[in-house]
Amino acid sequence: DQQVKQNSPSLSVQEGRISILNCDYTNSMFDYFLWYKKYPAEGPTFLISISSIKDKNEDGRFTVFLNKSAKHLSLHIVPSQPGDSAVYFCAASAIGNQFYFGTGTSLTVIP
Amino acid sequence: GAGVSQSPSNKVTEKGKDVELRCDPISGHTALYWYRQRLGQGLEFLIYFQGNSAPDKSGLPSDRFSAERTGESVSTLTIQRTQQEDSAVYLCASSLAAVSYEQYFGPGTRLTVT
């Protein structure tokens, strides 16, 4: 039972444009969400997080939006750069420790 | 070293053999997690250690899987009588659980069972 879903396995975006990666979850008890970025042959690296008390968190070119009523979060990258090409995972937690990960979205930024 | 390290980076084993995977977390991180990622799938939680508390083993897929952690340092994940479906990348992560939810991942061990 996949509690966190990333329905788009891949996404291609032109350099300089906005990349929008989406994530849906089913458990209304989830209160903390993270995005990770993963390059081939490396472990995931933390990108940005958001708690359920907020609906937006911004860090440089990266912004995460949370819509609790829709159980949906999204990661916006603007402007997109070729170095952003990677697999992006969203993750969610209900009690702060066990995280459930999505299946990932492979982003390709075309120069 | 500054990051989480894992060994070996690659392991090929025959079906039915036992394997041990090692994780060295970041010094001072009290929480340690094991995940596995099978081809085309997301990260699957296996087990979680937090300080001296009993580990959360709820993600272990069968009794062939076990893990130990020595204090707040090294952890080993053991898979007994390996099966082909155990082939995956096994990732370890650590965090300052009391302070931050941010998990720092190691590079993973790619396990192939032939």
Side-chain angles (χ1 to χ4, degrees), chain B residues 28-96:
Chain B
H29 280 194
T30 59
L32 186 146
Y33 312 75
W34 282 98
Y35 296 89
R36 108 177 141 178
Q37 185 179 16
R38 290 194 268 197
L39 192 64
Q41 299 187 21
L43 292 168
E44 178 187 356
F45 167 78
L46 297 177
I47 188 169
Y48 160 65
F49 295 89
Q50 169 56 47
N52 295 320
S53 303
D56 176 357
K57 303 179 181 180
S58 60
L60 294 178
S62 78
D63 58 8
R64 296 187 295 105
F65 288 72
S66 62
E68 292 188 351
R69 187 180 186 192
T70 308
E72 293 186 350
S73 60
V74 172
S75 175
T76 55
L77 176 69
T78 302
I79 309 172
Q80 296 178 308
R81 305 181 302 282
T82 52
Q83 304 294 313
Q84 288 184 332
E85 63 262 27
D86 299 334
S87 296
V89 175
Y90 288 82
L91 287 155
C92 173
S94 69
S95 75
L96 287 167

Side-chain angles (χ1 to χ4, degrees), chain A residues 36 43 46 89 96-99, chain B residues 33 37 48 58 101-103 106:
Chain A
Y36 282 86
F46 171 76
F89 291 96
N97 293 117
Q98 184 186 130
F99 278 89
Chain B
Y33 312 75
Q37 185 179 16
Y48 160 65
S58 60
Y101 293 100
E102 181 180 331
Q103 297 180 25

